[in-house]
Amino acid sequence: MSYIGRFAPSPSGLLHFGSLIAALGSYFQAKAMQGKWLVRIEDIDPPREMPGAASAILKTLEQYGLYWDGEVVYQSQRHHLYQAQIEEWLKSGQAYYCQCSRKQIKESGGYYLGTCRNLGLTNAQHCSVRLRMDNPVESFEDLKRGEMIIPHALAHEDFIIKRRDGLFAYNLAVVIDDIEQGVTEVVRGADLIEPTGRQISLYKTLNQTPIRYLHLPLAVDAEGNKFSKQNHATAIDNNNPKPAIMKAMSFLGFDLPKDFMSCTIEEMMDWGCKNWCLTQLPEEIKIIP
Ligand code: GLU
């Protein structure tokens, strides 16, 4: 089976150093396997979106020589797929409405204990939709890190697939799309290790063979904060990509040739694809001053 990888940014802000690492890592891994590299804009949470971010992200990827295969997919145009799956599960009893508030769950110990599972709630108003956890995943194999253990309570929780505000949950959308786009391997930041168990359990619930996962080390700043849009990480420079590319490639463990700065961006990307190997990845978080 041929390799299909992807980069799936949320347009809640511009690309920053942390997202560049995920973009480059997933790109090199896909291209080193002679595979395809898809881009999917994960715009399922409009209140957290920054106007113009989606097109700015695509522009940045092009400026950085990261050309994707096929058409860009937008989650905002795929609500029908997510809704159809939810309705199927509601009908079969695999999913159910839940009226518990976040506060109530916090008060009962932080994990949802299945309070509404057998209540047969039918009024979707002010309710979230949860999936009965019939396929708990307590560990998975990460390509770099080996066996990752998921806390028991987290693995067994009936998690939300549609929020009470009507928005589709990230875990549901990401798995439906990865399956539908034929993705064979997910390469992304280590901040997404935790939801991976749920995503694998969704593969099982959907009778699909789970795919491979590789979580890249997280870049953190001098204060130990990860680069994220919530932390207001600065956007990478669109007009001068080379310094950020070189910094990100060094972070990813490449030993760059001395004259690398004089290469074109396309040459940099080609060199990266040819020289990429998983063993070069740093063990864990590295501070980027
Ligand atoms: N959209 C997610 C983010 O920007 C990434 C999803 C994924 O790679 O699975 O953090």
Side-chain angles (χ1 to χ4, degrees):
M1 189 168 62
S2 52
Y3 185 105
I4 302 182
R6 49 63 158 189
F7 175 55
S10 306
S12 49
L14 303 174
L15 285 191
H16 51 77
F17 189 72
S19 33
L20 178 62
I21 287 172
L24 283 172
S26 58
Y27 179 84
F28 291 141
Q29 174 77 350
K31 295 295 162 182
M33 305 273 198
Q34 277 82 45
K36 287 202 172 105
W37 185 69
L38 313 180
V39 170
R40 182 172 69 231
I41 299 290
E42 303 212 315
D43 50 355
I44 40 162
D45 194 346
R48 288 180 62 181
E49 235 165 81
M50 176 184 138
S55 56
I57 287 172
L58 297 177
K59 178 112 207 306
T60 303
L61 291 175
E62 285 177 333
Q63 299 284 95
Y64 278 67
L66 292 164
Y67 301 110
W68 53 89
D69 295 296
E71 296 282 317
V72 173
V73 161
Y74 292 81
Q75 288 189 326
S76 56
Q77 292 167 14
R78 298 162 71 80
H79 289 184
H80 56 286
L81 292 176
Y82 316 141
Q83 188 59 34
Q85 186 56 62
I86 289 174
E87 275 164 24
E88 198 182 311
W89 280 331
L90 280 170
K91 232 193 211 158
S92 70
Q94 183 85 40
Y96 61 89
Y97 291 112
C98 169
Q99 60 190 1
C100 296
S101 66
R102 213 178 279 183
K103 188 164 161 260
Q104 286 169 316
I105 294 168
K106 211 168 160 197
E107 281 165 5
S108 66
Y111 287 104
Y112 174 71
L113 301 173
T115 316
C116 300
R117 195 185 288 157
N118 299 314
L119 294 187
L121 297 171
T122 48
N123 182 3
Q125 259 187 353
H126 308 301
C127 279
S128 55
V129 181
R130 289 182 185 266
L131 189 68
R132 296 175 82 103
M133 180 45 84
D134 291 341
N135 295 293
V137 171
E138 301 207 33
S139 71
F140 72 95
E141 198 66 21
D142 182 272
L143 286 182
K144 169 73 185 167
R145 295 152 195 266
E147 194 187 19
M148 305 301 299
I149 307 289
I150 315 240
H152 180 87
L154 183 69
H156 286 264
E157 196 176 37
D158 290 351
F159 62 85
I160 291 181
I161 49 177
K162 191 171 185 183
R163 292 163 26 175
R164 53 200 294 159
D165 59 9
L167 297 179
F168 295 101
Y170 152 70
N171 284 313
L172 177 77
V174 95
V175 170
I176 288 186
D177 289 342
D178 281 340
I179 291 171
E180 203 265 340
Q181 294 187 278
V183 168
T184 59
E185 188 175 292
V186 165
V187 179
R188 59 187 177 192
D191 52 329
L192 293 169
I193 288 176
E194 202 187 84
T196 306
R198 290 180 169 180
Q199 293 173 17
I200 296 172
S201 85
L202 279 172
Y203 271 85
K204 296 188 172 177
T205 304
L206 290 163
N207 291 319
Q208 299 282 329
T209 311
I211 53 173
R212 297 184 302 271
Y213 291 89
L214 166 64
H215 290 92
L216 300 167
L218 273 193
V220 296
D221 65 15
E223 278 83 50
N225 301 314
K226 75 168 183 134
F227 285 80
S228 71
K229 288 151 194 161
Q230 287 96 308
N231 291 338
H232 308 292
T234 35
I236 48 172
D237 190 349
N238 257 7
N239 300 315
N240 185 22
K242 285 187 191 178
I245 289 177
M246 289 175 65
K247 204 164 140 185
M249 287 180 74
S250 300
F251 176 88
L252 286 168
F254 286 107
D255 194 5
L256 300 178
K258 273 201 198 65
D259 57 351
F260 205 57
M261 190 65 182
S262 58
C263 292
T264 64
I265 288 165
E266 280 72 22
E267 285 166 349
M268 288 181 168
M269 292 301 132
D270 278 354
W271 186 91
C273 295
K274 285 196 189 93
N275 290 281
W276 170 257
C277 67
L278 288 189
T279 49
Q280 76 185 30
L281 279 172
E283 276 310 315
E284 242 329 307
I285 300 174
K286 256 209 221 164
I287 311 275
I288 300 297

